[in-house]
Amino acid sequence: MLRVALYNTVVFIGAFLLFQVQPMSAKALLPSFGGSYAVWGACMAFFQLVLLAGYALCHGVGRRLEGRVGARIYWYVLVLLLFAYPFPFAAMAEDPGGRWVVFEVIRRLAGTVGPPVLALSMISVMGQRWLSVSDLPGSREPHVLYAASNAGSLCGLLSYPLLFEPLLGLQDQQRVWWLLYMVMLVGCRFILPRQNGVRTPAAGTAPCDTAPERGRPGAWFVLSASGCALLLAVTNVLTLDVASIPFLWVLPLSVYLLSYVVTFKRHPWNPGWLNSLTGWAALAGLLLFLLGTLRLALPVMVAIPVHLAILFTGCLSVNDRLVGVKPSDPARLSGFYLWIAIGGLAGTIAVSWLIPLVTRSFVEYPLALAAVMGSLYLVRLDRDCHPDPRARYEGLTAIVWMALVLAAFRYLPGIVERAGDVQSAVLLVVLAVPVALAFRWALNHARWIVPVMLAVVGSARWMEQRGSGVSMVLEHRNYYGLYRIYDRDGVRFLQHGSTLHGRERMAADTASRPMAYYHPTTPIGSLLQDADRIGNSVGMIGLGTGALTAYLKAPQQIRIYEIDPDNVWIASIYFRSLAGAERNGATLHYIVGDGRLSVRREPPASLDCLVVDAFNSGSIPVHLMTVEAFADYRRVLKPAGLLLMHVSNRVLDLEPVVYRNAQSLGMAVCEQSNAGAVHPDAEESHWMALSADAGTIQSLMHDHGWWMRPVPDAVRPWTDDSIDLMSAVWRAR
């Protein structure tokens, strides 16, 4: 039993290290490559492709590595990889220049962490191969090591943001990483096969599994793809639509990994009562999708656990089915895991890369639920060879139910609205009845459940502006999220995901007066009206609606740094601040790209004022908040120039960090807020001002009432090497 525990330990540590090296690498790349979708998308694609390559190697040459000689060759390769210490993170952080970002990210990852990651991606499958040829009690069930692998991944995922990142700098993190690597290496030496073993088939099974429902690559593929698609769909909904909270993306991934742990362990956990709820969980997901279509939302603290429960139920059923169709011959397990990896990659490509290009809503959520239900129907463990004679009427009945759903969505809202003023909640209740009835019928006739779900999804487009009290102007989706522009009570709003980025009155005589965070009564609005203090050369990171430009006039010019190219045309076409600034004689320049990288390319001492407005949501670009980033800002400012930072945030206390960063660079700093005196057209906002010239800050405090405050000694400055995001979350509670 001790050796079996050692197998589990080695596989656990290998998976733990895999999930640790990914955020470490991304952290090293961030300062030089920025936070664009291309960068983190390339990182995600690289690690998935390397994992796939590792599984492919195990499948292709694994049989040669499971004997005594081959296993030792693999172990010697692991030993040789010690010469990769330390990871050359400094080289990864070099400026990529004009090279293609995606190619350069993948090239640097491949040349630094690539070889160790490839070797580690094989450890789980190789451990199972070695166990299967041993004489240990678990040799007939080597797949249980996959549970240990996912448990290691789960611990690696949770420990990095909660433990390693807050307490250790990047260099210390990799020292711990390599120490654990050596522990794994020693443990691996003791589980290597001692001789060229021969597998003994499990009792009652043939050496080669021939059951028609078992061992089919197509089944492994669709189950894995649907589970991964559901994971990413729920992640998108939670992080881009429900709430903008740091580390929120960790929760769905943790639930996904947990579903693998509990289903692949020696005694799988999937109670019948929970498995029977899968269909109802899919119905709940459909209703939540309709809720969003009608501009309704559950409270955040209710929505998050509900979405996670739907994800867990769906993934548990999918993974339980995967265990049921796994090959009984251990020699075929490597192919099983290879197809799981291929399916996961396909689900990722569909949800993360393709759907955002062709849709304008989070339609991947109901589609992923439909994929889960469809895969469970296609990969059944108890096929009935005697068809029900009533089945010939199912097609006609299904058509009737789908027609009922379509008619309900098309005509019921109009009938209800003619009865008087109606709220979205009423429409939801009215529509939920035919949807629930049709779904209930489909659950008893499984082959029709996917068509019924697709009928509901297709019909939902008729509901977008019903009962919400708003007039939708634009819905636009790209890799950075979902833009919604809508009019209500004479005001136009810009919402990006769950964050309101600005609003503007539509009346011609009030269009030039900024609202919300940029109203004249806010700290930034009051300051920008003082053109002499701001100067003629202004920079701004983060565009939004462009409301800040409404304060500019000739001969002022502004350089706007915006990472999302679509934000530029959205603000230009649907909001009037940018055009108003140009009419006032101001000159506007747009620089599309990561704000920090764009500022770094500007000549020294070229700006009188730099506005950084990128922190008013929970998912902040932390590389814009480090000491090194502040040094980049200071370099482009004139000696008495002003750095203005918008630090309003619901979940992060950023002010102490700004104080500490400024002190590290010898900059003076003060702050201002309009809390307690918020105009009806304004929002409460908090701004901080920094300058290399102490006199500039003293003048702000004297003329505009800005102030300073003491900072707790426990607060540390943020650097590219060390960021303590959890402490900022804790202080904001």
Side-chain angles (χ1 to χ4, degrees):
M1 292 301 294
L2 183 60
R3 286 193 65 202
V4 174
L6 191 56
Y7 276 94
N8 282 278
T9 302
V10 169
V11 169
F12 178 94
I13 296 176
F16 179 90
L17 293 175
L18 267 179
F19 263 72
Q20 286 278 311
V21 76
Q22 295 179 38
M24 287 166 57
S25 303
K27 188 182 182 73
L29 289 169
L30 192 59
S32 294
F33 285 86
S36 71
Y37 187 91
V39 174
W40 70 263
C43 288
M44 180 173 62
F46 171 80
F47 285 107
Q48 279 201 293
L49 288 172
V50 172
L51 180 66
L52 181 61
Y55 284 174
L57 277 174
C58 289
H59 184 60
V61 300
R63 187 176 292 275
R64 298 178 183 177
L65 299 180
E66 66 185 25
R68 183 174 182 272
V69 175
R72 276 157 178 73
I73 292 175
Y74 173 68
W75 186 78
Y76 290 140
V77 170
L78 291 176
V79 173
L80 287 175
L81 288 174
L82 287 171
F83 288 100
Y85 172 81
F87 291 130
F89 286 142
M92 292 174 65
E94 292 176 357
D95 193 330
R99 292 183 287 270
W100 186 35
V101 169
V102 173
F103 171 79
E104 190 63 17
V105 167
I106 293 177
R107 186 188 70 82
R108 294 193 186 186
L109 288 173
T112 52
V113 301
V117 168
L118 179 62
L120 286 172
S121 67
M122 300 173 63
I123 196 70
S124 173
V125 180
M126 292 312 304
Q128 294 180 54
R129 280 187 171 275
W130 297 337
L131 180 60
S132 69
V133 298
S134 71
D135 56 358
L136 296 174
S139 61
R140 294 182 178 180
E141 294 180 312
H143 71 276
V144 299
L145 292 182
Y146 198 55
S149 174
N150 281 279
S153 300
L154 178 59
C155 289
L157 170 70
L158 296 176
S159 63
Y160 190 82
L162 297 178
L163 183 64
F164 284 86
E165 187 177 37
L167 299 180
L168 301 174
L170 194 56
Q171 297 306 317
D172 290 332
Q173 289 173 26
Q174 73 158 319
R175 291 189 187 100
V176 174
W177 193 93
W178 282 104
L179 179 62
L180 289 174
Y181 181 87
M182 287 188 285
V183 172
M184 184 209 69
L185 201 58
V186 173
C188 187
R189 177 63 182 84
F190 288 99
I191 66 172
L192 296 178
R194 299 176 180 177
Q195 57 185 0
N196 291 323
V198 179
R199 293 188 185 86
T200 302
T205 64
C208 183
D209 192 357
T210 58
E213 287 82 33
R214 298 172 66 85
R216 294 181 303 170
W220 306 334
F221 174 85
V222 297
L223 289 169
S224 174
S226 61
C228 186
L230 183 58
L231 160 68
L232 294 171
V234 170
T235 302
N236 285 347
V237 169
L238 287 181
T239 58
L240 299 177
D241 195 50
V242 172
S244 185
I245 299 174
F247 309 123
L248 184 56
W249 62 271
V250 171
L251 295 181
L253 184 52
S254 299
V255 167
Y256 176 76
L257 293 172
L258 181 62
S259 70
Y260 271 100
V261 173
V262 299
T263 51
F264 275 81
K265 65 190 185 75
R266 189 175 303 279
H267 302 290
W269 183 84
N270 186 16
W273 64 267
L274 187 57
N275 195 38
S276 65
L277 292 178
T278 305
W280 296 109
L283 174 60
L286 267 183
L287 294 178
L288 287 174
F289 174 71
L290 294 179
L291 202 70
T293 303
L294 291 168
R295 308 287 175 265
L296 294 172
L298 295 175
V300 171
M301 290 299 107
V302 175
I304 291 175
V306 169
H307 285 294
L308 293 178
I310 293 171
L311 172 65
F312 183 69
T313 304
C315 288
L316 195 70
S317 296
V318 164
N319 293 334
D320 181 65
R321 195 65 52 88
L322 266 175
V323 173
V325 297
K326 74 180 188 305
S328 58
D329 181 4
R332 298 178 62 190
L333 279 175
S334 59
F336 173 64
Y337 295 122
L338 176 61
W339 279 104
I340 286 179
I342 294 173
L345 181 61
T348 299
I349 292 173
V351 174
S352 297
W353 294 95
L354 298 181
I355 288 181
L357 293 178
V358 298
T359 66
R360 54 181 183 175
S361 67
F362 295 107
V363 71
E364 65 265 29
Y365 191 23
L367 291 182
L369 289 169
V372 166
M373 298 305 297
S375 66
L376 292 175
Y377 171 74
L378 291 174
V379 188
R380 287 164 292 167
L381 302 180
D382 54 350
R383 293 180 183 269
D384 188 358
C385 297
H386 305 286
D388 188 342
R390 295 172 297 176
R392 56 184 169 180
Y393 300 110
E394 281 186 9
L396 180 60
T397 308
I399 292 174
V400 171
W401 277 113
M402 287 187 282
L404 176 63
V405 169
L406 292 171
F409 277 83
R410 184 67 181 89
Y411 298 110
L412 271 182
I415 296 173
V416 174
E417 287 175 348
R418 281 196 292 272
D421 188 24
V422 63
Q423 298 297 316
S424 297
V426 177
L427 287 179
L428 180 66
V429 172
V430 169
L431 292 171
V433 174
V435 170
L437 291 175
F439 203 86
R440 179 69 180 85
W441 175 86
L443 286 177
N444 293 326
H445 304 83
R447 73 178 68 184
W448 296 105
I449 194 165
V450 172
V452 168
M453 293 180 73
L454 294 179
V456 173
V457 174
S459 304
R461 302 302 299 175
W462 287 326
M463 302 304 305
E464 287 181 346
Q465 297 190 39
R466 298 277 192 172
S468 60
V470 304
S471 175
M472 186 59 58
V473 177
L474 174 73
E475 275 191 312
H476 175 72
R477 187 176 180 187
N478 62 12
Y479 291 133
Y480 292 97
L482 177 63
Y483 287 93
R484 291 189 179 101
I485 300 177
Y486 56 90
D487 297 337
R488 184 175 61 201
D489 300 329
V491 178
R492 176 159 293 178
F493 296 81
L494 171 62
Q495 184 170 329
H496 189 224
S498 60
T499 301
L500 183 65
H501 277 283
R503 61 181 189 263
E504 176 183 279
R505 289 203 179 276
M506 299 172 62
D509 57 338
T510 59
S512 61
R513 183 182 176 91
M515 300 178 68
Y517 302 110
Y518 318 108
H519 189 268
T521 61
T522 63
I524 189 67
S526 174
L527 198 57
L528 287 178
Q529 293 177 79
D530 187 351
D532 293 335
R533 187 180 300 275
I534 295 301
N536 292 331
S537 182
V538 182
M540 181 171 70
I541 296 178
L543 175 58
T545 64
L548 284 181
T549 63
Y551 293 103
L552 303 180
K553 55 189 177 183
Q556 290 177 306
Q557 57 178 335
I558 184 170
R559 300 181 67 79
I560 301 170
Y561 310 102
E562 172 56 48
I563 195 170
D564 185 355
D566 290 344
N567 195 173
V568 176
W569 63 261
I570 286 174
S572 300
I573 295 175
Y574 295 98
F575 295 88
R576 290 176 282 190
S577 295
L578 298 175
E582 291 180 329
R583 284 195 302 270
N584 292 335
T587 304
L588 278 60
H589 303 280
Y590 301 98
I591 298 93
V592 176
D594 180 80
R596 179 173 169 183
L597 300 186
S598 300
V599 167
R600 188 181 295 166
R601 299 186 185 106
E602 299 289 358
S606 57
L607 297 177
D608 295 301
C609 176
L610 176 62
V611 180
V612 182
D613 184 13
F615 311 121
N616 59 348
S617 70
S619 301
I620 68 169
V622 292
H623 69 296
L624 300 182
M625 274 289 291
T626 64
V627 172
E628 293 84 351
F630 281 32
D632 289 334
Y633 306 150
R634 185 180 63 175
R635 185 190 65 84
V636 299
L637 287 170
K638 295 177 181 178
L642 265 178
L643 172 61
L644 299 173
M645 306 191 72
H646 189 190
V647 293
S648 304
N649 203 284
R650 295 167 293 178
V651 292
L652 293 166
D653 182 24
L654 298 174
E655 292 90 332
V657 177
V658 175
Y659 274 107
R660 280 285 180 254
N661 288 1
Q663 291 170 5
S664 299
L665 295 172
M667 300 178 73
V669 59
C670 61
E671 60 182 297
Q672 176 65 283
S673 171
N674 63 331
V678 181
H679 189 277
D681 284 344
E683 297 283 350
E684 181 179 326
S685 64
H686 204 120
W687 289 79
M688 301 189 73
L690 298 81
S691 179
D693 178 45
T696 300
I697 297 301
Q698 290 295 330
S699 175
L700 264 184
M701 297 172 65
H702 180 269
D703 298 340
H704 289 269
W706 291 52
W707 67 82
M708 296 180 182
R709 62 165 158 161
V711 181
D713 294 335
V715 178
R716 295 181 288 115
W718 287 4
T719 67
D720 289 342
D721 187 67
S722 177
I723 294 174
D724 186 4
L725 201 59
M726 286 305 301
S727 293
V729 175
W730 184 259
R731 289 194 304 269
R733 295 181 63 206

